[in-house]
Amino acid sequence: MKRLKIHIFTHVPFEGLGCIQDWISTNNHIASFTKFYESYQLPDPDKIDWLIVMGGPMGVYDEAIHPWLTKEKIFIRQMIEKSKTVLGICLGSQIIAEVLGAKVFPNKQKEIGWFDISITEDGKTLPILSGFKNIFPIFHWHGDIFDLPEGSKRLFHSNITPNQAFLYKENVLGLQFHFEVIRESLQAMVENGMHELIESESIQSTEQILSQNFIIEANNLKMYRILDFLAKNSTKV
């Protein structure tokens, strides 16, 4: 496997790479970071192979509160135009969707906790999801959703969120949910988002969330398979 230069955008300290860090280390890739909650500097897009855009509690429309969002979107657009691999998770997927011209807006209700997602008919035909079960539980923490970007393929949906993931031109992937979460990051997200865990059919309690951490390992394996596919595919671009 080619040794990749992977740059990561993080928006809050409690939403890190999770199991993606293990995959980067195991495969001897090179990781660098832009942490928008600290003093930051954007890299040269020509000197990195991949961009991974992580989650956060802010919205894509919060430029007035977080001015760095404007520069972040411009950079993501540059990466896509240069045919680099771009992976967005949660907020990251929403930013990518907006950059690709799709509308991002509040869902009718938040989706927080372990809930099933279903693979779409398009998803069943794509090599990136080869071997995936039709329905399985995954960890969610999002209130906003996106329309499907033009030219992309919808991969998953749930009862609450019609567009849970999309693939654009084989090298740009947006995931609303969290394949990458590990026990430590799950605990951190719960501790920092406790105020959102109100009683609702689509929001689980702290106890419900933490008691289902046995699901993590299977979903981390799915994340690794997706990353392996993107890595193999990026050598062709």
Side-chain angles (χ1 to χ4, degrees):
M1 184 183 293
K2 173 187 173 183
R3 193 182 191 199
L4 299 168
K5 295 178 180 178
I6 302 175
H7 194 77
I8 301 99
F9 284 170
T10 58
H11 308 103
V12 286
F14 57 87
E15 289 205 40
L17 283 173
C19 76
I20 299 174
Q21 181 63 64
D22 293 334
W23 181 85
I24 291 173
S25 300
T26 298
N27 290 285
N28 200 32
H29 297 315
I30 302 165
S32 57
F33 293 82
T34 294
K35 300 177 180 180
F36 288 108
Y37 50 91
E38 297 178 355
S39 177
Y40 69 90
Q41 184 173 356
L42 296 176
D44 181 344
D46 291 321
K47 293 183 178 180
I48 59 175
D49 301 305
W50 281 28
L51 176 67
I52 299 178
V53 188
M54 299 305 297
M58 59 286 296
V60 302
Y61 36 76
D62 284 336
E63 288 98 336
I65 304 171
H66 305 290
W68 44 260
L69 276 164
T70 301
K71 294 181 180 179
E72 180 176 16
K73 292 173 186 178
I74 292 171
F75 188 90
I76 291 171
R77 182 174 292 107
Q78 290 175 336
M79 290 291 289
I80 294 173
E81 289 173 350
K82 291 176 180 291
S83 298
K84 301 296 183 78
T85 296
V86 182
L87 168 63
I89 296 172
C90 200
L91 171 64
S93 70
Q94 295 160 13
I95 298 174
I96 294 170
E98 187 189 72
V99 166
L100 291 173
K103 182 181 177 183
V104 179
F105 52 96
N107 201 358
K108 56 187 177 182
Q109 55 195 118
K110 291 184 178 181
E111 192 171 22
I112 303 175
W114 298 95
F115 297 104
D116 285 348
I117 56 173
S118 301
I119 194 169
T120 63
E121 291 304 311
D122 271 346
K124 293 174 184 177
T125 69
L126 296 174
I128 193 171
L129 301 182
S130 177
F132 278 57
K133 293 182 178 180
N134 289 345
I135 302 174
F136 57 87
I138 191 73
F139 186 66
H140 305 261
W141 199 309
H142 55 88
D144 288 348
I145 57 174
F146 47 74
D147 287 337
L148 196 65
E150 185 176 353
S152 67
K153 294 184 178 180
R154 186 170 66 121
L155 304 184
F156 295 103
H157 64 92
S158 69
N159 291 335
I160 295 171
T161 305
N163 298 320
Q164 283 280 7
F166 64 87
L167 181 66
Y168 178 78
K169 292 187 176 180
E170 303 301 319
N171 62 307
V172 179
L173 177 65
L175 305 173
Q176 275 274 36
F177 46 81
H178 296 274
F179 275 134
E180 86 291 349
V181 73
I182 56 177
R183 290 172 185 262
E184 292 80 6
S185 58
L186 183 67
Q187 182 73 43
M189 290 174 73
V190 168
E191 289 177 356
N192 285 275
M194 197 76 70
H195 60 284
E196 293 189 66
L197 302 182
I198 60 176
E199 187 173 348
S200 167
E201 63 179 1
S202 63
I203 300 177
Q204 294 179 341
S205 67
T206 299
E207 292 74 19
Q208 287 175 307
I209 291 172
L210 296 180
S211 67
Q212 296 182 78
N213 59 17
F214 60 87
I215 304 173
I216 287 173
E217 184 177 357
N219 283 325
N220 285 174
L221 291 175
K222 294 182 178 70
M223 185 79 263
Y224 297 149
R225 290 173 66 177
I226 287 173
L227 293 168
D228 285 342
F229 175 88
L230 292 173
K232 183 179 179 180
N233 193 59
S234 67
T235 63
K236 304 175 184 177
V237 176

